[in-house]
Amino acid sequence: MKKVSSLSELGFANDVHHALFRPIQEAAPPSPTKRHTKISVVGAGNVGMAIAQTILTQHLADELALVDAKPDMLRGEMLDLQHAAAFLPHTRILASPDYSVTAGSDICIITAGARQLPGETRLSLLQRNLALFKQIVPPVAKHSPGALLLVVSNPVDVLTYIAWKLSGFPPNRVIGSGTNLDSSRFKFLLAEHLEVNAQDVQAYMVGEHGDSSVALWSSISVGGVPILSQLTKDKAAMEQGVLERIRKAVVEGAYEVIRLKGYTSWAIGYSVASLARSLLRDQHRIHPVSLLAKGFYGIPEDQEVFLSLPAQLGRSGVLSVANIQLSEEEAARLRRSADTLWELQRQLEI
């Protein structure tokens, strides 16, 4: 008796994937696979080292390279990790202020960035970060021309656009951490409110990473059950108010952590490690990440903006973008977010 090996043999339509996901424009194929995996982290501050530590404990790389402009601090961080060799899976750890140490990387993670000064405008901060990225991205791209670029530095959406322009890489290979962590915070707070496990909550924050991020309330589900459609109209109106307060709590979550401990690190470390795992292991998992969004969800083709959308990730980077049904309000908020980013980008000299 012949074993049925696929749904298509049972009569399931072959083109369902194309209905659920839209392909990325001008996408490049994945770089040739190899057994040896290398990840580089540029910026050995609190965020960079949390990412490095999580990568090590989850054994995502055979080789880990660290880059920072402060050589003594960098060497200290390298030695501190190397001294834990007996407790970790075997990973070769390198560190240098010279970008040649990143050569042959599969993923280059950029966490370095200038901090906003008191009274400084957003545009002024972006100009300083643009100058910094001009020192970082070209040598990284030169030493690892087949790598995936994963930008974590803030403001992540515009800096991911800058990294794309400076690298010359195809857009599917330049990704920002975007709202991946925001969505995790969103799921956590929703799970608390609904008294369920956060892993059973399907909910996304999209758009710009920051105060104008968009919560996709209309698509929230728990265990496959759509939440809002299960409520009466009166109850739904009440819940919308609850969900908006939760959205604001998500946005303010990072500020609270910074107020209490001075910086954020562990959550973003786990968030970025989850992205690295999906990319390197070609898992085709869906993450809300910052990507070239023109042409998606009504964003004009002439707006080369990067913002977060739920995307399939694999070895070649962004594989496709999920076709989630947005409400009119959600779609309008997303387009306003894109307009804001586009106006800001147009002021940059790049």
Side-chain angles (χ1 to χ4, degrees), residues 157-186:
D157 300 296
V158 181
L159 291 182
T160 306
Y161 164 79
I162 288 172
W164 172 54
K165 286 294 188 180
L166 292 175
S167 68
F169 284 4
N172 61 301
R173 289 206 279 123
V174 184
I175 305 162
S177 55
T179 57
N180 193 53
L181 176 53
D182 305 67
S183 296
S184 176
R185 292 187 179 118
F186 193 29

Side-chain angles (χ1 to χ4, degrees), residues 2 54 105 107 139-140 147 160 192 212 222 226 233 244 293 298 305 307:
K2 181 182 177 182
T54 311
S105 294
I107 298 181
V140 164
T160 306
E192 276 202 326
S212 68
V222 176
K233 291 184 178 180
E244 174 59 13
V305 294
L307 49 73

Side-chain angles (χ1 to χ4, degrees), residues 163-224:
W164 172 54
K165 286 294 188 180
L166 292 175
S167 68
F169 284 4
N172 61 301
R173 289 206 279 123
V174 184
I175 305 162
S177 55
T179 57
N180 193 53
L181 176 53
D182 305 67
S183 296
S184 176
R185 292 187 179 118
F186 193 29
K187 292 177 182 181
F188 164 72
L189 291 173
L190 284 170
E192 276 202 326
H193 179 64
L194 300 172
E195 299 182 348
V196 297
N197 190 303
Q199 293 185 348
D200 293 323
V201 177
Q202 186 84 357
Y204 293 115
M205 301 283 288
V206 299
E208 181 186 12
H209 171 64
D211 296 343
S212 68
S213 59
V214 181
L216 299 187
W217 301 326
S218 62
S219 62
I220 294 172
S221 66
V222 176

Side-chain angles (χ1 to χ4, degrees), residues 74-309:
L74 181 62
R75 178 167 171 77
E77 293 286 13
M78 178 190 71
L79 290 173
D80 206 8
L81 290 176
Q82 288 176 335
H83 294 168
F87 315 115
L88 293 169
H90 177 67
T91 301
R92 186 185 182 204
I93 303 171
L94 308 171
S96 173
D98 192 315
Y99 287 94
S100 61
V101 76
T102 67
S105 294
D106 295 283
I107 298 181
C108 291
I109 302 170
I110 303 175
T111 70
R115 293 185 179 182
Q116 192 163 15
L117 302 174
E120 184 177 29
T121 65
R122 192 179 186 192
L123 181 60
S124 175
L125 173 64
L126 278 173
Q127 293 286 9
R128 290 199 294 124
N129 273 307
L130 172 57
L132 180 62
F133 267 48
K134 284 180 178 178
Q135 301 173 30
I136 294 173
V137 177
V140 164
K142 174 186 174 183
H143 290 294
S144 300
L148 302 172
L149 285 185
L150 179 51
V151 179
V152 182
S153 314
N154 279 316
V156 67
D157 300 296
V158 181
L159 291 182
T160 306
Y161 164 79
I162 288 172
W164 172 54
K165 286 294 188 180
L166 292 175
S167 68
F169 284 4
N172 61 301
R173 289 206 279 123
V174 184
I175 305 162
S177 55
T179 57
N180 193 53
L181 176 53
D182 305 67
S183 296
S184 176
R185 292 187 179 118
F186 193 29
K187 292 177 182 181
F188 164 72
L189 291 173
L190 284 170
E192 276 202 326
H193 179 64
L194 300 172
E195 299 182 348
V196 297
N197 190 303
Q199 293 185 348
D200 293 323
V201 177
Q202 186 84 357
Y204 293 115
M205 301 283 288
V206 299
E208 181 186 12
H209 171 64
D211 296 343
S212 68
S213 59
V214 181
L216 299 187
W217 301 326
S218 62
S219 62
I220 294 172
S221 66
V222 176
V225 179
I227 296 302
L228 296 185
S229 65
Q230 297 299 310
L231 305 172
T232 64
K233 291 184 178 180
D234 292 339
K235 186 74 176 295
M238 180 194 73
E239 290 297 315
Q240 287 281 7
V242 171
L243 292 175
E244 174 59 13
R245 290 198 294 275
I246 292 177
R247 189 201 72 84
K248 289 182 178 178
V250 171
V251 171
E252 295 167 1
Y255 301 134
E256 183 179 10
V257 174
I258 292 170
R259 179 180 63 82
L260 293 170
K261 61 177 278 191
Y263 57 89
T264 61
S265 57
W266 297 119
I268 188 63
Y270 282 104
S271 173
V272 173
S274 76
L275 297 177
R277 185 189 306 108
S278 292
L279 292 164
L280 289 173
R281 297 182 180 173
D282 202 29
Q283 291 186 331
H284 289 224
R285 286 194 62 192
I286 297 173
H287 295 268
V289 291
S290 190
L291 50 84
L292 183 60
K294 66 175 184 178
F296 294 108
Y297 294 103
I299 297 171
E301 289 282 353
D302 61 348
Q303 289 188 0
E304 292 185 328
V305 294
F306 277 70
L307 49 73
S308 288
L309 297 173

